[in-house]
Amino acid sequence: MLTRLALPALVAALLAAGPAGAQMARTEAPKETAKVVPLSKADVQLSFAPVVKRAAPSVVNVYASHVDKRTSARTSAMEEFMRRFFGEPEGGRGPRGDRAQRSLGSGVLVDADGLVITNNHVIDNMNEVRIALADRREFEATIVMRDTRTDLAVLKIKEPPKGLVPMPFGDADALEVGDFVMAIGNPFGVGQTVTQGIVSALARTQVGSADYQYFIQTDAAINPGNSGGALVDLRGQLVGINTAIYSQSGGSHGIGFAIPVGMVKAVVDAARDGASVVRRPWLGARIQSVTPDIADSMGLDHPTGVLVASLQPKSPAEEAGLKRGDLILTVDGQEVADPEAFGYRFALKGVQGQARFGILRGTTRQAVSVKLAPAPETRPRDALKVKTRSPFLGATLVNTSPAVAEEMQVDFQTDGVAVQAVDENSIAARVGLQKGDVIVAVNGVPIATTKDLDRVTRNSLNSWEVAINRNGEVLTSVFGG
């Protein structure tokens, strides 16, 4: 079971403990030295304290809450009875009778002006955020950017004090399996805690915690409340943001995952530039994994790279000269072993300039330059939220375009109306609609735009025949009204 690490309201009693330690002067990171095996007893009796002193002042606690404002402070007799005898299951009620949900996580200061990076799931659905520094000072913060695709969010301290100590970015690509790392955060709300371990694996892609799956795996103990905290190398530099653990009990079993600092830097840079969303490059090609059979047929020693399955007209991939059947092996010299690794590497390139792909075409290795540009919005999205009772009640639908396809990480074969999101416990969820489904027809009426769908769903009916395109296969189902 994959567990995200934000800590819910049940630890509210521990929040007052706060993080321990005092902020210290920033120290320049030492130059990189060669990695060697310990040769003496003194070599294995070294302390991590200097690294902790350098890094700990940059790690903060993130207290987030969602408060539903009420027009009246009075509650009904039944509500008062339930509150007194059964408690407040949704996190409690404020002084005016407001309902509040709370979340606790960690974050990392990334510049002296008060920018903080954390996990999006720490502040998901929250509208009030406070930041607690390592010296226990607390400040209100605003949410600058949410990037759900990477599960990262950027916060900004409203009135940042002087002397903030940002953590320098390290190089996650320089990590090797076996390197020492430390996780710093606030597990279970007990206060700032440092745990140490090694890098267990790199480029983990089957984690399922975000759209871009490319994680550092570590056995440093991380637990609920560590979400958004720092994974630090022995130079005191940020190499990752702790985001999830693999656990069947909710506790640490030594399998933790961190988002590499390269992706973190891309999100922070976008926030610094004033963007509301992170813009990523569009390839305009459908890619697939390389199976052992495909690798054998192409003369490869082992499965690696991604295979170009199809190209969209006038896309950067087509204009670069890529062809169906090309095998992409590298992006700017970095090996890509599977579609997730390719997506991560390509996403880091931004939307200006070019990226150089190393490819295998037949038996010939060559390089192609691909223009970096955002996916075009070829037609308005015209988002639709159906309000009448129908199989679409609770779904958000939009007109398809390359931009929508890139954001949703879906390959739309034709223009149409796509399911962008489905509310939990809604009729749309119960009938099985999924993000990325394309509505083909309703009761025999072809659906090309959200306006078409709006017209056919304005009246409630006793039955609905719905045809959808899911991953290239058209499915037709009949639902009751």
Side-chain angles (χ1 to χ4, degrees), residues 1-5 121 150-151 201-218 222 241-247 255-260 338 340:
M1 179 185 297
L2 189 70
T3 305
R4 286 176 167 176
L5 306 174
H121 71 260
T150 58
D151 191 25
L202 296 166
R204 286 297 196 211
T205 58
Q206 302 301 319
V207 176
S209 180
D211 284 356
Y212 292 103
Q213 298 185 34
Y214 195 84
F215 295 91
I216 303 166
Q217 183 181 326
T218 176
I222 52 179
I241 293 295
N242 299 318
T243 189
I245 57 175
Y246 183 83
S247 174
I255 303 177
F257 301 98
I259 300 169
D338 51 38
E340 289 79 13

Side-chain angles (χ1 to χ4, degrees), residues 228-274:
L231 190 70
V232 179
D233 64 17
L234 294 191
R235 293 178 290 277
Q237 297 176 330
L238 183 70
V239 292
I241 293 295
N242 299 318
T243 189
I245 57 175
Y246 183 83
S247 174
Q248 295 179 334
S249 65
S252 175
H253 289 179
I255 303 177
F257 301 98
I259 300 169
V261 71
M263 186 62 77
V264 174
K265 187 175 184 299
V267 174
V268 171
D269 286 346
R272 281 174 174 158
D273 291 341

Side-chain angles (χ1 to χ4, degrees), residues 366-403:
Q366 53 187 282
V368 297
S369 294
V370 178
K371 181 182 178 181
L372 299 173
E377 195 98 16
T378 53
R379 58 180 184 155
R381 301 188 184 202
D382 289 338
L384 170 67
K385 191 107 177 190
V386 177
K387 298 181 179 180
T388 55
R389 186 172 181 84
S390 73
F392 309 102
L393 187 61
T396 302
L397 303 112
V398 295
N399 293 328
T400 59
S401 71

Side-chain angles (χ1 to χ4, degrees), residues 299-341:
L300 299 174
D301 294 334
H302 61 280
T304 188
V306 293
L307 200 64
V308 177
S310 64
L311 299 103
Q312 296 183 29
K314 300 180 180 179
S315 65
E318 185 186 65
E319 292 174 354
L322 283 173
K323 297 180 180 179
R324 184 176 180 273
D326 284 348
L327 182 66
I328 303 173
L329 298 170
T330 61
V331 176
D332 283 342
Q334 295 283 352
E335 181 181 349
V336 290
D338 51 38
E340 289 79 13

Side-chain angles (χ1 to χ4, degrees), residues 156-460:
K156 176 73 165 64
I157 297 176
K158 288 184 178 180
E159 298 180 1
K162 294 182 179 180
L164 292 178
V165 184
M167 185 177 293
F169 291 128
D171 183 4
D173 289 334
L175 289 176
E176 298 181 59
V177 174
D179 281 352
F180 280 116
V181 287
M182 288 176 290
I184 308 178
N186 186 8
F188 299 112
V190 300
Q192 192 177 87
T193 302
V194 181
T195 55
Q196 171 268 324
I198 63 168
V199 174
S200 306
L202 296 166
R204 286 297 196 211
T205 58
Q206 302 301 319
V207 176
S209 180
D211 284 356
Y212 292 103
Q213 298 185 34
Y214 195 84
F215 295 91
I216 303 166
Q217 183 181 326
T218 176
D219 69 349
I222 52 179
N223 286 284
N226 272 111
S227 270
L231 190 70
V232 179
D233 64 17
L234 294 191
R235 293 178 290 277
Q237 297 176 330
L238 183 70
V239 292
I241 293 295
N242 299 318
T243 189
I245 57 175
Y246 183 83
S247 174
Q248 295 179 334
S249 65
S252 175
H253 289 179
I255 303 177
F257 301 98
I259 300 169
V261 71
M263 186 62 77
V264 174
K265 187 175 184 299
V267 174
V268 171
D269 286 346
R272 281 174 174 158
D273 291 341
S276 57
V277 296
V278 181
R279 301 177 74 203
R280 297 181 172 91
W282 175 53
L283 180 62
R286 184 167 62 88
I287 59 175
Q288 67 180 59
S289 300
V290 176
T291 65
D293 288 341
I294 293 175
D296 185 61
S297 69
M298 300 187 75
L300 299 174
D301 294 334
H302 61 280
T304 188
V306 293
L307 200 64
V308 177
S310 64
L311 299 103
Q312 296 183 29
K314 300 180 180 179
S315 65
E318 185 186 65
E319 292 174 354
L322 283 173
K323 297 180 180 179
R324 184 176 180 273
D326 284 348
L327 182 66
I328 303 173
L329 298 170
T330 61
V331 176
D332 283 342
Q334 295 283 352
E335 181 181 349
V336 290
D338 51 38
E340 289 79 13
F342 173 83
Y344 171 80
R345 292 294 178 192
F346 191 55
L348 294 183
K349 297 304 170 184
V351 293
Q352 293 183 341
Q354 293 184 329
R356 195 165 180 82
F357 291 0
I359 69 169
L360 178 65
R361 179 175 294 165
T363 58
T364 305
R365 292 178 182 258
Q366 53 187 282
V368 297
S369 294
V370 178
K371 181 182 178 181
L372 299 173
E377 195 98 16
T378 53
R379 58 180 184 155
R381 301 188 184 202
D382 289 338
L384 170 67
K385 191 107 177 190
V386 177
K387 298 181 179 180
T388 55
R389 186 172 181 84
S390 73
F392 309 102
L393 187 61
T396 302
L397 303 112
V398 295
N399 293 328
T400 59
S401 71
V404 171
E406 194 276 330
E407 290 175 15
M408 295 173 61
Q409 295 289 280
V410 176
D411 180 32
F412 298 129
Q413 302 296 323
T414 60
D415 287 343
V417 174
V419 178
Q420 185 182 48
V422 179
D423 296 340
E424 291 185 11
N425 302 318
S426 65
I427 291 178
R430 290 199 294 271
V431 303
L433 285 183
Q434 298 177 11
K435 177 182 176 181
D437 286 347
V438 177
I439 311 303
V440 176
V442 177
N443 293 333
V445 178
I447 303 297
T449 68
T450 55
K451 292 180 180 178
D452 295 337
L453 186 62
D454 185 37
R455 280 193 294 269
V456 300
T457 57
R458 285 179 182 174
N459 298 316
S460 297

